[in-house]
Amino acid sequence: MTQTENEWIEIAIQALEKAYVPYSHFPVGACLVTKEGKLYQGINIENASYGLTNCAERTAIFKAVSEGEREFKHLVIAGHTPEPISPCGACRQVMVEFFEPDMPVTLIGDHGVLKETTVEELLPYSFTKKDL
Ligand code: THU
């Protein structure tokens, strides 16, 4: 792992403290890296209506895309989980919309547990704009 990747991991872990999780008390943090090296932090943002909750990785993606970013090279997601956190299905579908299939995704849990995966590994045989 490169020093840079360590920094991205640190930024995803720091985001955990900002998560808005009054209902689940399950904070998640994310750090999305553009091809130019710009970083977008994301947190999960819950809602009293529960279903409107936005996951940390989608927050990071939507922040970046709404700033005009379209080219990404890495995503880190961190949770206080015994195993590396597993992104939900909705987030995996949003990932395939904006990321190349071979883009690396780093999943972090407590005590430094870590899994390096890719967008395609997380959502194989996905439905994308190529299918339209
Ligand atoms: N959550 C995320 O933010 N990202 C994930 O990948 C998994 C789930 C959030 C949604 C909700 O606020 C809390 O975790 C519990 O489901």
Side-chain angles (χ1 to χ4, degrees):
M1 191 192 304
T2 61
Q3 181 57 36
T4 321
E5 190 176 343
N6 272 325
E7 286 162 20
W8 302 337
I9 289 170
E10 206 42 55
I11 285 164
I13 290 171
Q14 280 167 11
L16 286 164
E17 288 164 30
K18 301 183 209 166
Y20 178 75
V21 288
Y23 309 107
S24 74
H25 305 288
F26 186 90
V28 184
C31 176
L32 176 60
V33 189
T34 71
K35 282 193 179 160
E36 287 180 334
K38 211 167 159 194
L39 306 181
Y40 288 88
Q41 232 180 5
I43 55 163
N44 48 340
I45 304 170
E46 299 186 341
N47 190 277
S49 74
Y50 294 1
L52 286 177
T53 291
N54 207 63
C55 292
E57 52 274 57
R58 264 183 296 147
T59 301
I61 296 167
F62 293 159
K63 275 172 75 175
V65 171
S66 68
E67 291 300 317
E69 304 286 0
R70 293 293 185 275
E71 306 261 292
F72 303 101
K73 68 175 174 191
H74 205 113
L75 174 67
V76 180
I77 312 169
H80 285 309
T81 44
E83 300 297 325
I85 189 158
S86 177
C88 81
C91 288
R92 294 175 196 218
Q93 182 66 32
V94 173
M95 287 181 211
V96 300
E97 183 69 29
F98 295 107
F99 304 158
E100 293 301 316
D102 62 349
M103 195 185 97
V105 180
T106 304
L107 308 172
I108 310 285
D110 272 333
H111 313 297
V113 290
L114 179 152
K115 181 179 170 67
E116 301 275 13
T117 184
T118 64
V119 171
E120 188 166 33
E121 238 173 44
L122 288 169
L123 192 63
Y125 196 62
S126 59
F127 181 77
T128 71
K129 51 196 158 215
K130 292 189 208 86
D131 298 300
L132 293 175

